Amino acid sequence: SIYEVEKFINKNKHLPNVPSAQNVNENGVDLIEMDAILLRQVEEIWLHLIELKKENKELREIIKQQK
């Protein structure tokens, strides 16, 4: 969930499944692996966005019914 991601970022100062800047500076980065990681991150963002859009629609319907 978005809250779990936020909690992870606050604790670790980087996204889950993405190496930290320090790790990249010390060990470098495999571009093919990083590309795969970033594609997964983009997919996760879209899934969160779709979930939020559905939630927003439901809330708008509730507000509309209460008016």
Side-chain angles (χ1 to χ4, degrees):
S1 75
I2 289 178
Y3 301 110
E4 292 169 347
V5 173
E6 179 184 26
K7 192 168 134 181
F8 183 93
I9 292 170
N10 288 337
K11 179 180 178 186
N12 299 289
K13 308 301 183 214
H14 65 89
L15 288 168
N17 303 314
V18 175
S20 67
Q22 179 181 357
N23 184 303
V24 170
N25 285 336
E26 291 173 0
N27 303 313
V29 62
D30 178 333
L31 292 180
I32 294 172
E33 181 182 347
M34 184 56 71
D35 190 38
I37 289 169
L38 294 175
L39 285 172
R40 278 195 300 270
Q41 292 296 321
V42 169
E43 181 180 5
E44 288 178 15
I45 290 169
W46 274 104
L47 293 172
H48 285 300
L49 181 63
I50 291 166
E51 183 180 322
L52 288 172
K53 182 71 174 173
K54 288 178 184 178
E55 182 180 327
N56 183 280
K57 184 178 179 181
E58 291 173 7
L59 291 172
R60 286 178 180 272
E61 286 297 319
I62 291 170
I63 291 170
K64 187 177 179 181
Q65 290 172 4
Q66 291 181 354
K67 284 186 177 183

